[in-house]
Amino acid sequence: MDSPHAAIRLSDEQRRDWLRLIRSENVGPRTFRALINQFGSARAALERLPDLARRGGAMRSGRICSEEDADREIARGRRIGVALVAPGEVGYPPRLATIDDAPPLLGMRGNRDAMARPMIAIVGSRNASGAGLKFAETLAHELADAEFVIISGLARGIDQAAHHASAAGGSVAVLAGGHERIYPPEHEDLLLDLLAFGGAISEMPLGHVPRAKDFPRRNRLISGAALGVVVIEAAERSGSLITARMAAEQGREVFAVPGSPLDPRAAGTNRLIKQGATLVTEAADVINAVAPIMERPIELPSREAEDEVSFDEPDDSDRARIIGLLGPSPIGIDDLIRLAKVSPTTVRVVLLELELAGRLERHGGGLVSMV
């Protein structure tokens, strides 16, 4: 039986099935996990996708990734040194595997040993000041000397400075696009410099061109893989503040470097400090804060699927009652179960049907809403 989070070693056949499932239409990381838990394996889930989408109200069957397409992606990845790794396998950052929406498969290039070491994220403004860039370089270098791997998003500005300064000690770039579509393109040489002692990871197909909505998805991987996130220069409503928010939701430490109240690039970091982020003026501030966390073992989520998987199709009245309780405002799944007066399994199946039909959106904290 497949399991989306237990310490595992996938067979070639399982890896292809997992890739087919996560590359199929309307299947994201949370849906993937729900399907595995419901049906016991990716192969069984793939067989049920068309029927689930139809019952969820889809006008047409969603695209299902074929065996040929999956085999092509695996082969193309191997040619450029990309391995597809699952949570619990060597090369999958262990802390990333603990988040609710951990990618079932992560495309990884570079040094797998670096992925297992403690990581600190450094993010910040693309249009950074000279002082901000200098501090990012100093902090990244000192944290690398303390044997932390620096993880960031390969963006211009603060990300670039942090990667460059920590390359010799180990630095990991998280890509918003696929491994064949590096963004920004001028950072391809920087990425190559990282691969000897660090690496690059992406959950996207190899040729995927990054879109605006892909950057928040990338940001959750940056924060999820790290012990904590250091924000250096972030204007109000910047992507770095999204990363900080995700870090807090994931239970990671949030650090912020103070700046002049006259510089709009410091408005976001100063606000983070007011909201309780740890103020950082030197590497020791970060090291001392994460030391107690490093002493605790990393516990991957326990497998939820059972060896004998039962599937009871909801009846029309239960389905109608659950759909009637859903709307554009997010609601907790536990509340749905209580209000609908049906079993948790029934609610999970109906939510799967709606999601595969493209009618449901999942939010953090177990919340769902209708699209």
Side-chain angles (χ1 to χ4, degrees):
M1 169 174 296
D2 298 354
S3 175
H5 281 125
I8 53 168
R9 176 78 173 103
L10 294 180
S11 67
D12 290 344
E13 183 178 3
Q14 284 177 314
R15 200 173 309 277
R16 181 175 66 182
D17 289 342
W18 278 39
L19 184 60
R20 289 184 63 203
L21 185 57
I22 194 59
R23 294 287 187 255
S24 294
E25 190 173 358
N26 293 325
V27 178
R30 287 190 177 95
T31 315
F32 180 98
R33 183 177 177 181
L35 286 163
I36 296 289
N37 289 337
Q38 187 66 44
F39 299 110
S41 71
R43 175 65 58 87
L46 285 162
E47 294 172 356
R48 300 304 300 260
L49 289 184
D51 187 45
L52 288 168
R54 177 188 58 79
R55 293 207 307 266
M59 301 301 293
R60 60 173 180 81
S61 295
R63 183 192 62 80
I64 297 175
C65 179
S66 68
E67 292 185 0
E68 294 76 17
D69 285 347
D71 286 338
R72 273 194 292 271
E73 180 172 346
I74 292 169
R76 277 172 58 195
R78 284 178 180 151
R79 285 197 291 271
I80 62 172
V82 174
L84 290 168
V85 295
E89 291 188 311
V90 176
Y92 199 108
R95 293 187 186 279
L96 181 58
T98 67
I99 69 173
D100 289 341
D101 51 355
L105 288 173
L106 200 57
M108 199 215 79
R109 277 171 88 188
N111 186 331
R112 291 200 183 195
D113 290 339
M115 303 294 176
R117 288 166 50 199
M119 296 187 189
I120 299 293
I122 297 179
V123 298
S125 174
R126 288 173 170 81
N127 181 31
S129 70
L133 294 173
K134 177 62 176 176
F135 186 78
E137 291 173 352
T138 300
L139 183 66
H141 182 75
E142 291 178 354
L143 288 171
D145 282 349
E147 301 190 350
F148 290 94
V149 168
I150 301 303
I151 185 167
S152 195
L154 202 69
R156 302 176 182 97
I158 296 297
D159 292 21
Q160 178 183 7
H163 282 309
H164 187 267
S166 59
S171 189
V172 173
V174 185
L175 310 179
H179 281 275
E180 295 176 335
R181 296 289 184 173
I182 305 305
Y183 183 86
E186 65 265 26
H187 284 181
E188 288 190 17
D189 289 343
L190 173 59
L191 178 62
L192 291 176
D193 289 342
L194 303 184
L195 297 182
F197 300 104
I201 58 176
S202 172
E203 65 180 321
M204 308 306 288
L206 292 170
H208 181 82
V209 178
R211 306 154 297 178
K213 67 180 182 181
D214 295 322
F215 290 92
R217 292 184 61 176
R218 175 205 63 181
N219 292 351
R220 87 185 195 286
L221 304 186
I222 295 173
S223 56
L227 288 155
V229 174
V230 181
V231 184
I232 304 173
E233 294 191 344
E236 296 285 2
R237 300 181 180 177
S238 73
S240 298
L241 296 185
I242 295 175
T243 310
R245 175 178 57 80
M246 291 177 170
E249 292 173 351
Q250 294 164 343
R252 307 304 189 248
E253 295 294 310
V254 178
F255 304 92
V257 177
S260 169
L262 300 179
D263 188 345
R265 288 171 294 200
T269 47
N270 289 342
R271 180 160 61 85
L272 286 174
I273 293 169
K274 290 178 181 179
Q275 293 171 342
T278 300
L279 187 149
V280 172
T281 60
E282 58 181 349
D285 296 327
V286 178
I287 296 169
N288 293 336
V290 301
I293 304 171
M294 294 173 61
E295 295 171 1
R296 298 196 293 266
I298 300 172
E299 295 184 6
L300 298 184
S302 60
R303 58 189 291 173
E304 298 177 25
E306 301 294 336
D307 290 338
E308 296 295 329
V309 179
S310 62
F311 177 75
D312 296 321
E313 180 179 338
D315 61 37
D316 290 341
S317 62
D318 288 342
R319 185 177 289 109
R321 191 179 311 116
I322 294 166
I323 292 174
L325 291 167
L326 290 165
S329 297
I331 183 174
I333 294 175
D334 290 342
D335 292 327
L336 270 181
I337 295 168
R338 177 176 55 82
L339 294 169
K341 296 182 172 62
V342 296
S343 70
T345 299
T346 299
V347 169
R348 284 197 299 267
V349 172
V350 172
L351 295 181
L352 275 175
E353 294 171 354
L354 293 170
E355 189 162 21
L356 293 170
R359 300 174 62 198
L360 186 86
E361 181 176 1
R362 292 184 186 266
H363 308 271
L367 300 174
V368 293
S369 64
M370 292 289 275
V371 175

